[in-house]
């Protein structure tokens, strides 16, 4: 398939909108990560997303809208949805609600619910407005690879597999949206942490439960509330090991373990000089925003250095956006976490 790589001028957005209206696939930038979009009302167009990514057919797509007001056309919003929409939309929040019949099951992976999100990125907004459709879009990476935070990531994974890729520069947040499932009038489950934090959700809703899959690997017989959480994800070819413990002890431990040239380190900017081998900085230890922005780029850079077989990574702090950084990193590590203690 011929892929057009374009900028985000008005003409190029109109061209992309036309491709979407005629059943094609368009990669577009959002504030979280790049998305791979198709018409959410057309089951066969949405089916092409799964084929292009190599995505399992039971892993549903998020439906992007220009305005939260449109949600009632596609699902059954509740008063709690309205409260969330007023505070966080447009923005990096996906809300799971019972779907209406117009949303094909291909989009929802056979579920009777649909994930709704209203992106704030100007190019995503312009595209939604220009095509006049809801856009079904997962992240624009090949399945199991880290989500794309720069256009070159999406080009590497999807060139030749989609009709158009729109370059909108690097994504500001760098991790995928927060996903919540509403379970009552004042209760919800956080299925995936992201740019809207647990603490922010607690300001709106009294009972916010964090799903077990955020912290730990699900057992073979356990059902994932967000089907995507059960799949291997974000994993570079090298094995990733996350190390947790008092900061100085973690530095000493990783220093000892990472002497081989085939060992890399994912650390904070402040600690970079402690290690001699290939080092990938997540940005400042004090900035979860920087860590979120850089994590997927680091994981892709590791993939670019074929001699690296193993990578040791510092466990981030889990407050605010740190919960999302921790979740993606431990998933990249297949939940392999080593705990170190302070030396006697
Ligand atoms: P991606 O945009 O690539 O991060 O993939 C979309 C994510 O949203 C996946 O983890 C899905 O499992 C999740 N998701 C989408 N729709 C639903 C739904 N109806 N119920 C639960 N999770 C969903
Ligand atoms: Mg994804």
């Amino acid at each position: 398939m011929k892929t057009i790589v374009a900028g985000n001028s008005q003409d190029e957005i109109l061209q992309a909108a036309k491709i979407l209206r005629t059943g094609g696939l368009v990669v577009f930038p959002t504030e979280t990560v790049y998305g791979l979009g198709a018409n959410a009302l057309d089951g066969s167009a949405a089916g092409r997303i799964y084929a292009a990514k190599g995505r399992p057919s039971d892993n549903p797509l998020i439906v992007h809208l220009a305005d939260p007001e449109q949600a009632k056309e596609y699902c059954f919003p509740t008063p709690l949805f309205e409260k969330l929409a007023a505070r966080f939309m447009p923005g990096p929040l996906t809300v799971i609600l019972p779907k209406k019949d117009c949303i094909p099951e291909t989009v929802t992976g056979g579920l009777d619910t649909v994930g709704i999100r209203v992106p704030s990125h100007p190019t995503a907004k312009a595209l939604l407005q220009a095509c006049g459709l809801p856009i079904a879009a997962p992240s624009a990476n090949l399945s199991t690879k880290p989500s794309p935070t720069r256009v070159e990531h999406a080009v590497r994974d999807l060139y030749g597999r989609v009709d158009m890729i729109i370059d909108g520069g690097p994504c500001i947040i760098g991790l995928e949206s927060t996903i919540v499932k509403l379970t009552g009038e004042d209760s919800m489950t956080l299925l995936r942490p992201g740019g809207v934090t647990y603490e922010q959700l607690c300001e709106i809703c009294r009972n916010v439960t964090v799903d077990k899959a955020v912290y730990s690997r699900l057992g073979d017989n356990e059902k994932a509330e967000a089907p995507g959480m059960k799949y291997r994800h974000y994993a570079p070819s090298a094995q990733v090991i996350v190390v947790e413990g008092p900061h100085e002890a973690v530095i000493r431990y990783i220093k000892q373990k990472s002497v081989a040239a085939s060992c890399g380190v994912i650390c904070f900017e402040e600690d970079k000089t402690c290690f001699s081998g290939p080092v990938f900085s997540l940005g400042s230890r004090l900035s979860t925003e920087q860590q979120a922005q850089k994590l997927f780029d680091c994981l892709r850079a590791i993939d670019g250095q074929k001699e690296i077989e193993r990578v040791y990574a510092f466990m981030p702090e889990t407050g605010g956006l740190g919960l999302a950084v921790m979740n993606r990193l431990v998933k990249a590590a297949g939940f392999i976490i080593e705990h170190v203690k302070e030396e006697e």
Side-chain angles (χ1 to χ4, degrees):
M1 179 190 285
K2 185 174 168 294
T3 301
I4 304 162
V5 181
N8 56 0
S9 70
Q10 187 57 23
D11 276 357
E12 288 161 313
I13 284 170
L14 290 176
Q15 189 183 2
K18 193 168 163 199
I19 291 172
L20 289 172
R21 278 197 300 271
T22 50
L25 299 183
V26 175
V27 171
F28 61 100
T30 82
E31 69 278 20
T32 58
V33 300
Y34 275 77
L36 167 55
N39 177 359
L41 302 177
D42 175 348
S44 54
R48 281 182 206 118
I49 291 179
Y50 293 86
K53 283 186 58 123
R55 183 176 176 97
S57 62
D58 68 345
N59 190 3
L61 314 174
I62 290 170
V63 172
H64 295 69
L65 304 178
D67 190 303
E69 267 299 298
Q70 297 169 350
K72 55 184 179 297
E73 295 173 39
Y74 310 111
C75 65
F76 297 93
T78 62
L80 182 53
F81 171 82
E82 306 297 345
K83 269 166 89 179
L84 289 167
R87 170 82 190 270
F88 300 118
M89 292 184 180
L93 178 69
T94 298
V95 183
I96 310 290
L97 287 162
K99 80 173 188 76
K100 287 195 168 170
D101 289 343
C102 58
I103 299 292
E105 287 205 345
T106 326
V107 168
T108 64
L111 297 176
D112 54 9
T113 52
V114 60
I116 298 287
R117 172 160 124 76
V118 179
S120 64
H121 193 291
T123 305
K125 280 166 87 166
L127 182 61
L128 282 158
Q129 263 147 14
C131 72
L133 291 167
I135 301 179
S139 51
N141 51 284
L142 286 175
S143 208
T144 81
K145 290 291 164 200
S147 298
T149 56
R150 299 170 176 276
V151 74
E152 52 270 31
H153 301 161
V155 168
R156 187 168 314 135
D157 280 12
L158 296 177
Y159 191 85
R161 294 171 170 258
V162 300
D163 298 287
M164 188 168 183
I165 298 177
I166 301 177
D167 182 354
C171 301
I172 292 170
I173 296 177
L175 296 178
E176 307 87 341
S177 60
T178 301
I179 304 180
V180 294
K181 184 167 188 172
L182 308 191
T183 48
E185 261 329 302
D186 205 9
S187 59
M188 62 171 76
T189 307
L190 175 58
L191 301 184
R192 179 175 74 182
V196 171
T197 65
Y198 169 79
E199 292 84 350
Q200 287 175 312
L201 293 169
C202 290
E203 289 167 19
I204 300 285
C205 174
R206 201 190 302 256
N207 303 300
V208 184
T209 311
V210 180
D211 192 54
K212 189 180 162 209
V214 170
Y215 294 105
S216 53
R217 190 202 303 269
L218 290 176
D220 288 344
N221 299 322
E222 283 180 290
K223 181 175 161 281
E225 280 290 341
M229 294 298 268
K230 77 179 175 220
Y231 289 109
R232 184 162 179 265
H233 239 119
Y234 317 124
S237 324
Q239 179 189 27
V240 179
I241 296 169
V242 180
V243 186
E244 186 178 45
H247 192 65
E248 294 304 318
V250 171
I251 292 182
R252 270 198 303 276
Y253 182 83
I254 295 184
K255 218 169 168 172
Q256 237 174 42
K257 289 279 186 179
S258 64
V259 280
S262 58
C263 262
V265 178
I266 297 178
C267 67
F268 303 115
E269 190 64 25
E270 293 85 342
D271 304 320
K272 239 168 70 173
T273 52
C274 298
F275 308 101
S276 52
V279 172
F280 302 87
S281 169
L282 272 187
S284 172
R285 190 177 162 200
L286 305 175
S287 168
T288 49
E289 282 78 15
Q290 280 181 24
Q291 295 160 26
Q293 258 174 13
K294 285 172 178 269
L295 177 62
F296 289 149
D297 214 17
C298 273
L299 294 175
R300 282 186 178 256
I302 290 165
D303 253 351
Q305 298 196 18
K306 297 289 173 226
E307 67 284 6
I308 300 178
E309 290 166 10
R310 180 178 288 188
V311 180
Y312 288 91
F314 283 63
M315 177 68 101
E317 299 289 331
T318 56
L321 195 49
L323 183 65
V325 179
M326 179 283 293
N327 168 256
R328 305 312 191 275
L329 189 58
V330 298
K331 285 198 74 170
F335 294 98
I336 302 178
I337 302 173
E338 290 183 3
H339 303 270
V340 295
K341 294 201 181 82
E342 196 62 84
E343 272 173 1
E344 302 288 296

